[in-house]
Amino acid sequence: MDIIHTPKATPPAGHYSQAVRANGLVFVSGQLGFLPPVEPGVRPELAAGAAGQTREALRSVQAILDAAGTSLSAVVSVTVYIPDVGLWDEVNGVYEQCFGSHRPARAIVPTRELHYRALVEISVIAVA
């Protein structure tokens, strides 16, 4: 198992890794829509709105995948958490732009409040 870390994505704020590579797959931890640059020990700032946070969360996911030697086109599964099902269309619009014709398996999970009052959190599994 390899731990993946890049300074181009939000640093972990707890006892976890940005991603782990194991058995030919990369498991990216849930990413919130923080604006870059984010420095360890400095509280990051969330992008404005669900669309902005989705864009920034996927930017962070892409940076982590790049560090792991893979990309969004190798993603096989995505889990998106949103605190309000009313955000679905806004999140989905940005998601479609970022993934284009690539259609990995996906779940959008309406949840209670997300950490830092974020409007979206995204985790992925990709082929290494």
Side-chain angles (χ1 to χ4, degrees), residues 9-23:
T10 305
H15 190 70
Y16 63 93
S17 301
Q18 288 174 325
V20 175
R21 182 177 32 233
N23 296 324

Side-chain angles (χ1 to χ4, degrees), residues 2-117:
D2 300 315
I3 303 300
I4 307 300
H5 178 80
T6 178
K8 295 180 180 179
T10 305
H15 190 70
Y16 63 93
S17 301
Q18 288 174 325
V20 175
R21 182 177 32 233
N23 296 324
L25 296 172
V26 177
F27 301 85
V28 178
S29 295
Q31 299 297 302
L32 300 177
F34 290 120
L35 295 167
V38 178
E39 312 237 347
V42 175
R43 180 152 182 221
E45 180 181 340
L46 287 167
Q53 289 184 30
T54 301
R55 195 170 290 106
E56 291 303 322
L58 287 171
R59 179 201 51 77
S60 194
V61 165
Q62 179 62 63
I64 294 165
L65 292 173
D66 286 347
T70 190
S71 68
L72 286 177
S73 65
V75 170
V76 294
S77 181
V78 179
T79 304
V80 180
Y81 301 94
I82 54 176
D84 179 352
V85 75
L87 299 172
W88 185 300
D89 289 339
E90 190 176 353
V91 169
N92 196 54
V94 174
Y95 179 94
E96 278 186 63
Q97 290 172 358
C98 290
F99 278 95
S101 63
H102 182 55
R103 292 177 178 252
R106 180 183 80 177
I108 294 186
V109 183
T111 67
R112 296 184 69 134
E113 183 178 304
L114 293 170
H115 199 49
Y116 299 112
R117 294 197 169 284

